[in-house]
Amino acid sequence: MIGAQWGDEGKGKIIDVLAEHFDVIARASGGANAGHTVVLGKEKHVFHLLPSGCLHEGKDIVLGSGMVLHLPTLLEEIHVLREKGIDVVPHLFISPAAHIVCAYHKELDALSEERRTQTKGEGIGTTRRGIGPAYTDKTARSGLRMELLWENAKTIRETLKQRMDEVKSLYHIDVHLEEEYDAVLAAKKLLERRLMTNMVDCIFSFLAEGKTFLLEGAQGTLLDIDHGTYPHVTSSSTTASGALQGLGLPPQAMTSCIGVAKAYCTRVGGGSFSTEVFGKVAERLRKRGGEYGATTGRPRRCGWLHLPSLQYAALLNGFTHWNITKIDVLDGERVVSVGVGVDRRGNVQYEELPGWEGSADVRAWEKLPKLAQKYLHFIERATGVPVAFVGTGERRGEMVVKGL
Ligand code: IMP
């Protein structure tokens, strides 16, 4: 399940719906920059590190090697679920190669943003969750990994101290050894036994047992470090191949890949957004779509669908199906615009489709307004990918399943 835009496509909901049919639910990359929202009855659950599919009890839950884990956030998420009567710990399988996000990563993230704003006039608009600096440590081969939890308290303290001293002398910032030590010890106590000794062996034993995997992509294709709108991207691989890499699965293990795209488009943070709208239309989309960041609460920039991006994401990820989300948010628009290309001067060219009413809470394809169906067919034709799921509201059942 891969986001086709700039994240926030509404992956949480489809993952929660489909998780029921899978044995193993996995996250492969990214960290607590993600915010996957699931609405159950009147309650809203936002997941940052655990896959949103874990609301289905008894599923095996994998946190893959490509992830960066902020331990206090992970422990808090586990705790909140426990309070709701769901204990995920016995079902967790964590890669010892996943990296640990420390407080200093967050501090460096904030400092880099401030520096960029001073020198370039604007930052990337990161979530300030320390993601960039944690992946920097990883690629510089100086990061701390979850395997640290296997060490005894003395070695943990020494290892942390060594890293903190390096950080202090490199970046001249305050470090918080005791805070990091407490976080690692608390995580050790709860999660040491949940680290897989060998991630690849573990994944393959699941496959050998005939278990099926649902990979929960985080962020979106256009935020991919290699293929996204660099430098306004995140620091991980957000594509399907990135998910396979982050988990340690061979490409042929992927039997289908569902691209998740909003029926319109949003973005948080800086960077290009050619179909962005302002004023009343933007306000309407933001209000009706509840377009505020699940992690940071920032108002999201809103705009129309951009077909070339969906075509790009479909090719790059090998999408076999679409989940088009939040079609109900467009209810009542007289005209729905879609960016289809650019003219010679570089201005976006739009195609205008007639709007519709009454797609909210529809649960069957034939009950969708004809003009909404036409819009979805338009996406199918332009991308060559069939629509399998259509989101028609926030809650679990508010979805059209057109077929796989
Ligand atoms: P970072 O991942 O916190 O470094 O942020 C880099 C860029 O990716 C910023 O524009 C963020 O707003 C964006 N971003 C990161 N994670 C998400 C997400 O889960 N949803 C939407 N945007 C995200």
Side-chain angles (χ1 to χ4, degrees):
M1 195 85 51
I2 298 291
Q5 296 157 316
W6 283 293
D8 305 322
E9 295 91 354
K11 295 180 288 294
K13 182 176 166 193
I14 179 75
I15 288 159
D16 175 58
V17 168
L18 286 190
E20 184 186 337
H21 307 284
F22 289 81
D23 303 306
V24 184
I25 323 289
R27 268 222 30 211
S29 64
N33 46 351
H36 295 169
T37 309
V38 179
V39 180
L40 276 187
K42 284 189 179 146
E43 269 193 85
K44 213 175 221 184
H45 303 258
V46 182
F47 294 91
H48 298 288
L49 288 169
L50 292 171
S52 40
C54 70
L55 282 178
H56 294 270
E57 274 187 82
K59 303 289 174 188
D60 291 328
I61 298 158
V62 177
L63 302 181
S65 306
M67 289 191 76
V68 289
L69 301 172
H70 182 247
L71 297 174
T73 304
L74 181 58
L75 296 183
E76 170 68 12
E77 253 170 47
I78 291 170
H79 173 70
V80 168
L81 281 181
R82 271 188 173 166
E83 284 193 329
K84 293 179 198 296
I86 301 174
D87 188 9
V88 292
V89 175
H91 307 284
L92 267 182
F93 296 84
I94 304 173
S95 170
H99 278 248
I100 297 175
V101 177
C102 302
Y104 78 79
H105 290 124
K106 288 186 173 191
E107 204 166 321
L108 285 176
D109 196 357
L111 284 174
S112 306
E113 279 291 271
E114 274 159 34
R115 191 162 322 130
R116 278 188 211 107
T117 310
Q118 274 165 14
T119 55
K120 299 188 176 163
E122 63 155 3
I124 290 171
T126 73
T127 58
R128 302 190 178 216
R129 296 298 186 271
I131 305 301
Y135 279 110
T136 303
D137 276 6
K138 172 177 172 168
T139 46
R141 290 147 296 171
S142 48
L144 300 169
R145 311 204 300 176
M146 287 300 280
E147 62 197 355
L148 185 62
L149 270 55
W150 278 323
E151 304 297 341
N152 62 37
K154 183 166 170 275
T155 310
I156 290 175
R157 179 180 274 282
E158 281 167 7
T159 309
L160 285 171
K161 171 141 189 358
Q162 204 176 37
R163 183 63 195 142
M164 297 298 130
D165 288 346
E166 279 166 10
V167 168
K168 242 188 335 195
S169 71
L170 271 173
Y171 303 112
H172 310 289
I173 58 168
D174 290 336
V175 288
H176 310 279
L177 178 60
E178 290 312 316
E179 190 184 313
E180 305 297 354
Y181 178 68
D182 289 348
V184 174
L185 275 202
K188 176 180 170 66
K189 205 165 148 202
L190 191 67
L191 300 175
E192 181 178 0
R193 290 156 63 99
R194 304 315 312 162
L195 293 185
M196 292 171 269
T197 29
N198 183 319
M199 171 99 189
V200 173
D201 279 354
C202 176
I203 298 286
F204 277 84
S205 65
F206 282 151
L207 287 175
E209 287 166 36
K211 289 188 170 176
T212 51
F213 281 68
L214 177 63
L215 264 68
E216 179 168 327
Q219 291 80 46
T221 300
L222 304 178
L223 286 174
D224 183 84
I225 182 74
D226 295 306
H227 305 290
T229 48
Y230 192 89
H232 295 93
V233 293
T234 188
S235 302
S236 59
S237 298
T238 59
T239 53
S241 46
L244 295 171
Q245 162 72 8
L247 204 62
L249 275 173
Q252 67 271 25
M254 185 171 96
T255 51
S256 58
C257 183
I258 299 175
V260 187
K262 244 176 227 176
Y264 48 101
C265 198
T266 61
R267 178 164 205 180
V268 270
S272 62
F273 184 174
S274 61
T275 53
E276 184 168 11
V277 292
F278 302 92
K280 285 203 172 120
V281 183
E283 273 165 38
R284 260 199 324 267
L285 293 175
R286 190 173 299 118
K287 189 157 175 233
R288 278 206 241 124
E291 297 297 355
Y292 296 88
T295 299
T296 59
R298 290 179 288 180
R300 295 176 184 145
R301 298 157 67 192
C302 295
W304 300 116
L305 198 68
H306 187 241
L307 269 188
S309 301
L310 294 197
Q311 288 160 336
Y312 177 74
L315 290 178
L316 189 57
N317 293 293
F319 288 152
T320 54
H321 307 87
W322 282 118
N323 168 210
I324 303 297
T325 65
K326 297 178 117 173
I327 193 128
D328 55 299
V329 173
L330 295 178
D331 278 3
E333 292 296 328
R334 199 178 48 77
V335 168
V336 178
S337 303
V338 180
V340 291
V342 281
D343 64 17
R344 278 205 211 136
R345 289 188 183 154
N347 297 320
V348 191
Q349 286 179 312
Y350 285 99
E351 192 152 329
E352 294 191 331
L353 283 91
W356 57 86
E357 288 275 8
S359 72
D361 197 17
V362 168
R363 295 164 192 234
W365 174 260
E366 53 292 352
K367 297 218 165 115
L368 271 179
K370 284 283 169 289
L371 290 171
Q373 290 184 8
K374 199 172 158 194
Y375 184 68
L376 295 163
H377 283 315
F378 179 68
I379 297 171
E380 287 182 321
R381 268 199 312 279
T383 57
V385 176
V387 171
F389 305 94
V390 186
T392 57
E394 269 198 328
R395 284 167 296 169
R396 211 179 230 181
E398 291 175 329
M399 164 119 26
V400 170
V401 182
K402 188 165 164 245
L404 280 175

